[in-house]
Amino acid sequence: MRISRIFLYDEPSVPEIKINNLAKFLEETLGIPVLVRKNFFLHFKLDSNTAYKLASSRVFNPHSPFEPHTPTEEEINFEEKSFGNNSESSNIVLYDGFEIQNIVQNTIPEEESSQDTFHIAFTTRLGCTYDYEDCRYHGRAVICANPAIISTTGIIEAPAKPRAYYLIMQHSISQGLNLDALKDKFRGKFLEYHDTNLDKVVRGYALQAIFYHLTSEPFCDSKDCILYNAHWQEDLIHAQINLGKLCEHHRGILESIKKHE
Ligand SMILES: [Zn+2]
């Protein structure tokens, strides 16, 4: 598998992604052209049919597998009007990640659907995938496929915060919880909405999606590699912000892919 060009779709409500810097980073890392477009659903014009499908892919019960939902008029209108208003930490809407991926895939015109054209769409929508082992949905930062979907909400919400954070939160709920004071105590230990480090974090997720496409292996076992599949915010910060680079093994893979092009 090879990639000859990449399209990035911005999420303008989260400017901290700094999409032009990401494009430059990917161009330098991969040696192929990377083009930036506006939000996916703005670029391809979100019609009422697509809005209906997006609203149908909402998840209402995180403990059972996906069942298509019959959306209300209000939910369809919400999708049609909103490109990035899910970024608040209260009232997060859950979507089935594979349903969203399907909708995005079916929107891309045929002339841009060849496998050597890779698409990465940023969104505030939180895609989740159902895990049949523990019988529940999990929020995802990235849905690896072509097109790949990177959720800015998923980056904040999917990897877990430090254990101590949850312990103190549970403990202090009984005594009246001050979430801001709690966040202050743990500042820097997890990402927050509109975090200024988001531009570094998205590099790792974009590369994970690209490596999945190129090699079917998106992740690395090394906690020091930007491809590490972090389940904890602290690991994410270490691999993608503090270090922010590929391990030797993955640098080698990348070099051999570039050589064979
Ligand atoms: Zn690696």
Side-chain angles (χ1 to χ4, degrees):
M1 190 65 78
R2 60 187 288 275
I3 298 176
S4 57
R5 60 175 174 170
I6 295 177
F7 287 111
L8 296 180
Y9 300 87
D10 197 11
E11 176 50 90
S13 63
V14 188
E16 293 81 6
I17 296 169
K18 296 194 182 127
I19 198 115
N20 291 314
N21 290 358
L22 175 65
K24 206 165 155 243
F25 167 81
L26 292 176
E27 248 172 17
E28 281 165 7
T29 307
L30 304 164
I32 49 170
V34 180
L35 294 108
V36 174
R37 288 176 165 174
K38 44 190 182 184
N39 179 277
F40 185 87
F41 292 113
L42 280 176
H43 177 81
F44 288 112
K45 309 266 186 306
L46 180 84
D47 56 21
S48 54
N49 185 32
T50 310
Y52 181 92
K53 285 191 211 152
L54 281 171
S56 309
S57 63
R58 285 186 180 206
V59 170
F60 288 90
N61 180 0
H63 299 284
S64 73
F66 181 68
E67 274 177 51
H69 158 69
T70 306
T72 63
E73 204 61 38
E74 197 187 336
E75 287 164 352
I76 299 166
N77 288 340
F78 170 85
E79 298 298 341
E80 223 164 343
K81 286 197 196 102
S82 68
F83 299 100
N85 60 2
N86 291 337
S87 62
E88 294 308 316
S89 53
S90 58
N91 212 8
I92 295 171
V93 177
L94 307 182
Y95 298 86
D96 185 280
F98 294 124
E99 293 291 318
I100 294 261
Q101 203 275 336
N102 259 330
I103 296 164
V104 169
Q105 189 166 30
N106 291 331
T107 306
I108 294 171
E110 211 182 307
E111 62 271 22
E112 292 183 357
S113 293
S114 58
Q115 280 304 301
D116 69 329
T117 299
F118 194 68
H119 302 261
I120 302 177
F122 284 92
T123 177
T124 56
R125 290 180 172 87
L126 179 57
C128 306
T129 55
Y130 188 79
D131 184 340
Y132 282 87
E133 271 174 29
D134 66 0
C135 301
R136 55 172 285 231
Y137 267 98
H138 295 268
R140 296 284 171 213
V142 56
I143 305 285
C144 286
N146 186 20
I149 318 281
I150 298 178
S151 165
T152 54
T153 308
I155 292 171
I156 312 295
E157 300 293 343
K161 295 179 177 64
R163 274 182 224 274
Y165 175 88
Y166 296 107
L167 287 173
I168 296 174
M169 188 169 83
Q170 275 172 358
H171 182 72
S172 45
I173 272 174
S174 55
Q175 300 155 12
L177 176 66
N178 183 337
L179 208 58
D180 287 335
L182 186 61
K183 278 187 175 168
D184 277 344
K185 193 175 160 68
F186 284 90
R187 197 161 304 280
K189 296 267 202 291
F190 55 79
L191 293 164
E192 297 181 56
Y193 285 93
H194 298 289
D195 203 291
T196 51
N197 280 315
L198 273 173
D199 59 333
K200 297 194 188 79
V201 176
V202 293
R203 294 175 176 191
Y205 285 116
L207 282 179
Q208 287 175 11
I210 290 163
F211 266 83
Y212 180 73
H213 189 67
L214 291 172
T215 68
S216 307
E217 290 281 344
F219 304 126
C220 182
D221 292 335
S222 166
K223 282 192 167 187
D224 295 336
C225 179
I226 200 170
L227 302 179
Y228 183 69
N229 183 17
H231 289 93
W232 294 89
Q233 289 276 339
E234 281 171 302
D235 291 339
L236 177 76
I237 288 167
H238 175 74
Q240 298 192 19
I241 297 173
N242 296 347
L243 299 179
K245 55 185 199 305
L246 291 165
C247 68
E248 212 170 304
H249 170 68
H250 278 103
R251 272 205 303 277
I253 292 177
L254 190 62
E255 284 315 311
S256 72
I257 291 170
K258 281 160 86 172
K259 233 178 269 168
H260 288 98
E261 273 183 2

